[in-house]
């Protein structure tokens, strides 16, 4: 049919026509983690049907998830098991997939590099293949959780205005390397099969749902316990590394916005500010009235990593202008929110 013959004819709605406010089927891996919790909350409030991929036999996190979000359908599956992902996709029939599942602790990835590669790297390929093999390349939008750890923070690779979508990658851990594979295979499926695949390159995002193994929550939890007389010392690794820290709830909204955009793309989500671990420690102690914080902090050699990312600073201009993404919580607000939460938690025990 020529272009002339099409003139004046209304295009028929295609099955792929997207309405951001219509309820959707959404499949989420990593739903028991920090970002999964924020995302589940947002999707349920919007009226979406949420399916959570949970791995392992009798995973205690499954019960906690079902208690917190009774409306969620739990599907047992594992990013390292392709057939379980095909089954999950068939059950959920998803309009959107958020691949948040990963070995996400950088220090742990040095001790378990092969597992990290299998889950955080090859797991992305397994999930994309599950979408392709079930014939959903035109139907399902896919979010890949990429990370600022892919940049590596080295001197020669550090732009003054912060890393953006065009910056060079130089990962410094098995985690960062695995995530870089995930990032590129996701882009490859977008280019090869025309899939709607978007990658969010997220800088550190924290909050009261954060696990105690990550430095911010370890600090706010320790500070709360020290101020209540429940703990004497806070054991930490290096205090000089700098990170670009934001609030996880704001960043999860950015992920959702990426999948509602009219075309797939990659976006940096960051605060555009960088602070050292020491800045975070000092401000957290100050909130409970302790100025002589050094008396309560000791170095734990076990927390030192074989290679460190010195400094991360992101430039979120593209997400701000294209997606109208905005942050509601700043650095000081984040620390206060976390300290207040941990004071309440520890006082109620
Ligand atoms: N975890 C931890 N525990 N980190 C410590 C400690 C400690 O006791 N003491 C100092 N640090 C330093 C780490 O060496 C690192 O430089 C910094 O604190 C932040 O560590 P984490 O909170 O573990 O986060 P991360 O920056 O390594 O990785 C997080 O952010 C990435 C995005 O940039 C994770 O959430 C990754 O999954 C995410 O991709």
């Amino acid at each position: 049919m020529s272009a002339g013959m099409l003139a004046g004819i209304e295009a028929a709605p295609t099955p792929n026509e997207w309405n951001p406010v219509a309820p959707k089927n959404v499949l989420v891996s990593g739903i028991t983690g920090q970002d999964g919790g924020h995302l589940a909350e947002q999707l349920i409030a919007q009226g979406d049907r949420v399916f959570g991929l949970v791995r392992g036999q009798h995973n205690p996190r499954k019960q906690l998830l079902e208690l917190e979000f009774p409306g969620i359908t739990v599907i047992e599956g594992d990013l390292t098991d392709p057939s379980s992902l095909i089954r999950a996709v068939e059950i959920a029939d998803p309009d959107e997939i958020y691949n948040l599942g990963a070995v996400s602790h950088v220090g742990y990835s040095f001790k378990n590099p092969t597992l990290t590669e299998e889950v955080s790297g090859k797991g992305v390929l397994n999930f994309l293949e599950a979408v392709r093999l079930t014939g959903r390349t035109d139907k399902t939008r896919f979010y890949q959780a990429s990370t600022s750890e892919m940049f590596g923070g080295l001197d020669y690779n550090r732009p003054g205005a912060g890393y953006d979508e065009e910056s060079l990658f130089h990962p410094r851990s098995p985690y960062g390397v695995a995530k870089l594979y995930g990032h590129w295979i996701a882009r490859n499926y977008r280019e090869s099969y025309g899939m709607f695949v978007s990658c969010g390159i997220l800088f550190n995002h924290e909050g009261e749902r954060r696990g105690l193994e990550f430095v911010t929550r370890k600090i706010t939890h320790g500070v709360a316990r020290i101020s209540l007389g429940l703990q004497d010392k806070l054991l930490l690794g290096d205090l000089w590394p700098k990170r670009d820290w934001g609030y996880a709830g704001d960043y999860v909204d950015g992920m959702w916005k990426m999948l509602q955009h009219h075309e797939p793309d990659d976006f940096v989500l960051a605060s555009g500010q960088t602070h050292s671990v020491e800045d975070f420690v000092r401000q957290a102690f100050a909130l409970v009235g302790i100025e002589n914080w050094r008396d309560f902090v000791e170095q734990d050699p076990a927390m030192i990593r074989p290679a460190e990312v010195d400094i991360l600073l992101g430039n979120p201009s593209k997400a701000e202008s294209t997606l109208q993404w905005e942050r509601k919580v700043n650095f000081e607000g984040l620390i206060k929110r976390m300290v207040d939460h941990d004071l309440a938690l520890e006082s109620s025990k």
Side-chain angles (χ1 to χ4, degrees):
M1 196 185 292
S2 73
M5 289 169 75
L6 286 173
I9 298 175
E10 283 276 300
T14 65
N16 200 26
E17 209 152 89
W18 196 259
N19 176 0
V21 295
K24 304 205 172 46
N25 286 6
V26 184
L27 175 58
V28 183
S29 72
I31 195 159
T32 59
Q34 168 187 251
D35 294 359
H38 281 287
L39 183 62
E41 210 167 68
Q42 175 167 340
L43 296 173
I44 289 169
Q46 285 169 195
D48 293 324
R49 290 171 292 271
V50 182
F51 299 81
L53 189 77
V54 178
R55 81 189 151 87
Q57 239 178 305
H58 296 300
N59 183 342
R61 287 175 158 199
K62 177 172 178 273
Q63 273 77 48
L64 294 175
L65 179 73
E66 286 168 335
L67 275 177
E68 187 175 3
F69 304 111
I72 283 184
T73 305
V74 172
I75 304 176
E76 283 164 8
D78 196 308
L79 287 170
T80 62
D81 184 336
S83 63
S84 78
L85 298 175
I86 290 175
R87 184 175 153 272
V89 170
E90 281 172 348
I91 293 171
D93 187 21
D95 301 294
E96 295 175 355
I97 290 176
Y98 293 84
N99 184 31
L100 312 183
V103 168
S104 65
H105 192 270
V106 175
Y108 180 88
S109 81
F110 281 102
K111 295 171 194 146
N112 299 270
T114 308
L115 176 69
T116 304
E117 191 56 49
E118 287 291 326
V119 178
S120 308
K122 207 169 140 201
V124 185
L125 172 63
N126 292 339
F127 219 166
L128 290 163
E129 273 293 88
V131 175
R132 192 179 72 82
L133 294 171
T134 54
R136 284 168 170 80
T137 49
D138 291 339
K139 177 182 190 298
T140 303
R141 296 187 171 198
F142 192 99
Y143 172 84
Q144 170 55 22
S146 294
T147 164
S148 53
E149 279 290 309
M150 299 186 310
F151 295 124
L154 294 174
D155 259 341
Y156 79 89
N157 190 26
R158 194 185 301 159
Y163 292 113
D164 62 22
E165 295 76 7
E166 307 305 322
S167 300
L168 282 178
F169 297 121
H170 186 141
R172 301 260 294 154
S173 62
Y175 168 76
V177 174
K179 278 286 185 179
L180 188 53
Y181 173 80
H183 182 71
W184 277 108
I185 200 69
R187 291 183 62 153
N188 180 256
Y189 271 56
R190 179 164 81 212
E191 291 168 12
S192 306
Y193 302 111
M195 280 175 66
F196 193 113
V197 177
S198 289
C199 302
I201 306 175
L202 268 57
F203 283 65
N204 297 50
H205 45 288
E206 317 291 318
E208 55 280 358
R209 288 179 180 273
R210 195 55 147 152
L212 292 169
E213 69 274 34
F214 295 96
V215 79
T216 56
R217 184 77 199 291
K218 186 172 174 183
I219 295 167
T220 61
H221 186 251
V223 164
R225 286 178 58 82
I226 287 169
S227 81
L228 294 168
L230 301 171
Q231 185 175 321
D232 298 329
K233 296 282 180 197
L234 182 55
L235 298 181
L236 294 172
D238 288 324
L239 300 186
W240 49 263
K242 290 181 147 188
R243 290 291 182 274
D244 179 326
W245 276 299
Y247 177 57
D250 291 341
Y251 287 54
V252 162
D253 188 48
M255 296 177 188
W256 180 80
K257 284 193 156 87
M258 287 179 214
L259 288 200
Q260 313 316 310
H261 193 49
H262 62 84
E263 59 184 4
D265 205 345
D266 302 330
F267 296 94
V268 160
L269 299 186
S271 77
Q273 285 185 9
T274 188
H275 296 272
S276 66
V277 175
E278 183 174 322
D279 290 340
F280 197 106
V281 173
R282 189 187 317 105
Q283 295 205 28
F285 272 108
L287 285 171
V288 296
I290 298 177
E291 299 300 330
N292 57 329
W293 61 270
R294 285 183 198 279
D295 295 346
F296 299 93
V297 175
E298 276 179 14
Q299 191 167 68
D300 181 356
M303 290 297 134
I304 311 284
R305 298 171 180 178
E308 182 57 82
V309 171
D310 295 355
I311 174 169
L312 288 177
L313 171 66
N315 178 351
S317 305
K318 180 178 168 185
E320 288 170 347
S321 59
T322 312
L323 304 174
Q324 279 74 55
W325 179 63
E326 49 188 23
R327 295 168 304 285
K328 300 189 177 72
V329 182
N330 64 14
F331 182 66
E332 290 73 24
L334 171 68
I335 302 178
K336 176 151 178 28
R337 188 179 181 116
M338 292 176 72
V339 169
D340 286 349
H341 171 271
D342 285 333
L343 281 171
L345 180 75
E346 290 301 312
S347 311
S348 66
K349 282 185 179 164

